[in-house]
Amino acid sequence: MNLPFLLARRYLIAKKSHNAINIISWVSVCGVAVITMALICTLSVYNGFQDLISTLYSTFDAELKIEPVKGKTFHADDSLFTVIRQMPEISVFGEVLEENVLVGYGDRQIPATVKGVERNFRELTDIDKIILNGEFILNDSVVDYATVGVGLASQLGVNAGFVRPLDIYVPRRKGRINMSNPTESFNQGQLFVGGVFGVNQAHYDDQMLLAPLDFARDLFESEGLVSSVELKLKQNTDQAAFQAKLQKMLGTEYRVRNRMQQQEESFRIMQIEKWMTFLMLSFILMIASFNVVGSLSMLIVDKQADIRTLRNLGADNSLIKKVFIIEGCLISGAGAVTGIVLGSVLCWVQEHFGVLRLGGSSGMFIVDAYPVKQLFSDSLWVVLVVSLLGLLAAIYPAQTMIKKYDREI
């Protein structure tokens, strides 16, 4: 066995001549363990919330979405998209036309977004899972219907089955504004409320209104145009590989985005919050590492007789430094391992039993307990940070105290 490691392990376990050194050593281990545990648990909670939000969006967003890089609309009936429709990896191909409008009901008028979709939108997404009232319906033999976000429905004071339709207004694409009769400058359409949905995301619940694609094209004077194409892939299809293949086919004029990329801003903010928290806890870990510096300094003073014996037996400064550097790494390593194990256990308990509640009565939030998801990559980052700080905390006292001891000799 390596001699420096053997001596360092003995110094860690063996009783010192001064009991305070033992106490400081174990305080150092506990300090590193507690911060490591906090890092594991905090990162896991952020991962849990990210997964939760991703699940919410997955009920409304398609697996893949094709959008133009420049402009708002394009033709989805050209030869390139005809080839894409027939690709064996694609299960559902849906055309979408989306535009901002003014929605009126009675004396209430609210800006909103009309998303014109085809009948296969039910197959493209899990819209039926988030219907709160009524049903997802686009039209029947007589009238067209809208499926409205719950927040928008509340602001307008409407619900599924109301006999009075919504009035939809949008500026005309062609022609001049008629100042004497401004209403002539708007296209107007009417939609009856067939259903109300709730995604628990304000961007959709407070602004979105699903309508038939043909209705949207007539209202926006965009015959044959779409603002995006949404795709659902067949089971067992490698989404990342197919996305890259599709992007290569489409070139630089279009972008292909998955669900995470469609909500890039939301997930980016969560990632920034996650890693800022990681940095702050790492700073606290750095402060906790000062205990390791103090513990090693006192240990070197306590082991002067041993150092003199090792020197008389032929040990040089390099070997003696290694002993105490390894000792510091063992203290940090013991704390890191303990913290990771405790953090993992706490995450498992929270995941299966939901010990930490979000507060309030049951059903007040989307979930009743903090969601957690532990990732190996997060644990790896924690280990790297703890190892680096532990090594730096061990090098400083080993070098300075040994040099000071040399001068005294």
Side-chain angles (χ1 to χ4, degrees), residues 103 114 133 135-139 143-149 159-161 166 168 190-197 208-212 215:
V103 182
V114 165
N133 285 296
E135 61 177 328
F136 171 71
I137 181 172
L138 295 177
N139 46 41
V143 296
D144 293 323
Y145 292 92
T147 306
V148 186
N159 207 338
L166 300 173
I168 314 295
Q190 291 187 326
L191 293 169
F192 289 86
V193 180
V196 176
F197 70 85
M208 191 66 70
L209 181 153
L210 299 176
F215 170 87

Side-chain angles (χ1 to χ4, degrees), residues 171-172 174-186:
R172 293 182 184 274
K174 302 175 182 179
R176 296 182 178 181
I177 297 176
N178 188 341
M179 299 301 295
S180 61
N181 187 11
T183 58
E184 291 292 328
S185 302
F186 291 85

Side-chain angles (χ1 to χ4, degrees), residues 62-321:
E63 287 185 58
L64 294 178
K65 187 175 186 178
I66 303 172
E67 297 174 313
V69 174
K70 295 182 180 179
K72 297 180 67 175
T73 58
F74 61 96
H75 288 277
D77 55 358
D78 61 18
S79 57
L80 179 59
F81 284 94
T82 301
V83 172
I84 293 174
R85 283 178 184 270
Q86 299 171 355
M87 294 179 75
E89 296 92 342
I90 295 177
S91 172
V92 182
F93 182 103
E95 297 180 4
V96 173
L97 182 61
E98 195 170 319
E99 187 59 86
N100 295 327
V101 300
L102 183 68
V103 182
Y105 187 80
D107 59 350
R108 302 183 183 185
Q109 293 183 336
I110 298 174
T113 300
V114 165
K115 181 173 182 177
V117 298
E118 297 182 283
R119 289 182 178 274
N120 62 5
F121 188 74
R122 176 181 274 112
E123 304 167 24
L124 193 66
T125 64
D126 293 326
I127 184 66
D128 287 330
K129 292 182 179 179
I130 55 174
I131 296 295
L132 304 178
N133 285 296
E135 61 177 328
F136 171 71
I137 181 172
L138 295 177
N139 46 41
D140 56 24
S141 59
V142 180
V143 296
D144 293 323
Y145 292 92
T147 306
V148 186
V150 63
L152 181 59
S154 177
Q155 294 176 69
L156 290 170
V158 299
N159 207 338
F162 277 29
V163 296
R164 184 175 177 179
L166 300 173
D167 295 313
I168 314 295
Y169 302 95
V170 65
R172 293 182 184 274
R173 295 184 63 188
K174 302 175 182 179
R176 296 182 178 181
I177 297 176
N178 188 341
M179 299 301 295
S180 61
N181 187 11
T183 58
E184 291 292 328
S185 302
F186 291 85
N187 289 331
Q188 180 179 355
Q190 291 187 326
L191 293 169
F192 289 86
V193 180
V196 176
F197 70 85
V199 187
N200 287 303
Q201 295 298 314
H203 171 67
Y204 291 142
D205 292 349
D206 296 346
Q207 301 177 15
M208 191 66 70
L209 181 153
L210 299 176
L213 179 61
D214 292 338
F215 170 87
R217 282 174 169 164
D218 290 340
L219 184 68
F220 304 143
E221 300 177 69
S222 302
E223 187 61 35
L225 295 175
V226 297
S227 56
S228 64
V229 167
E230 297 184 340
L231 306 174
K232 181 177 181 180
L233 306 182
K234 292 182 179 178
Q235 288 186 349
N236 302 322
T237 300
D238 187 332
Q239 186 189 88
F242 181 75
Q243 182 181 358
K245 174 184 175 181
L246 199 58
Q247 185 65 72
K248 186 176 181 180
M249 286 180 58
L250 291 167
T252 57
E253 295 183 4
Y254 300 92
R255 57 172 172 260
V256 183
R257 300 195 296 174
N258 56 32
R259 285 186 176 122
M260 293 281 286
Q261 293 165 339
Q262 290 172 45
Q263 306 298 335
E264 189 173 5
E265 291 299 323
S266 299
F267 289 113
R268 182 186 292 123
I269 290 172
M270 289 199 67
Q271 285 295 313
I272 291 173
E273 291 175 346
K274 173 181 174 180
W275 293 113
M276 286 300 294
T277 304
F278 177 81
L279 288 175
M280 288 187 288
L281 288 173
S282 297
F283 180 73
I284 297 173
L285 178 63
M286 182 177 66
I287 295 174
S289 297
F290 285 121
N291 287 326
V292 179
V293 176
S295 175
L296 283 182
S297 299
M298 295 183 68
L299 181 63
I300 292 172
V301 173
D302 185 64
K303 298 300 180 182
Q304 286 187 11
D306 290 0
I307 294 173
R308 187 178 294 107
T309 301
L310 289 171
R311 198 180 293 277
N312 291 335
L313 291 172
D316 57 9
N317 279 350
S318 176
L319 187 144
I320 296 172
K321 287 178 184 177

Side-chain angles (χ1 to χ4, degrees), residues 36-51 270 274 340 343-344 346-348 350-351 370-376 378-379 382:
T36 302
M37 179 181 67
L39 279 166
I40 292 293
C41 293
T42 302
L43 296 180
S44 298
V45 169
Y46 272 109
N47 294 333
F49 276 113
Q50 183 170 309
D51 259 21
M270 289 199 67
K274 173 181 174 180
I340 289 174
S344 300
L346 286 177
C347 289
W348 182 87
Q350 178 65 19
E351 183 179 359
Y370 284 94
V372 293
K373 180 183 179 182
Q374 191 172 357
L375 297 179
F376 174 77
D378 290 343
S379 300
V382 172

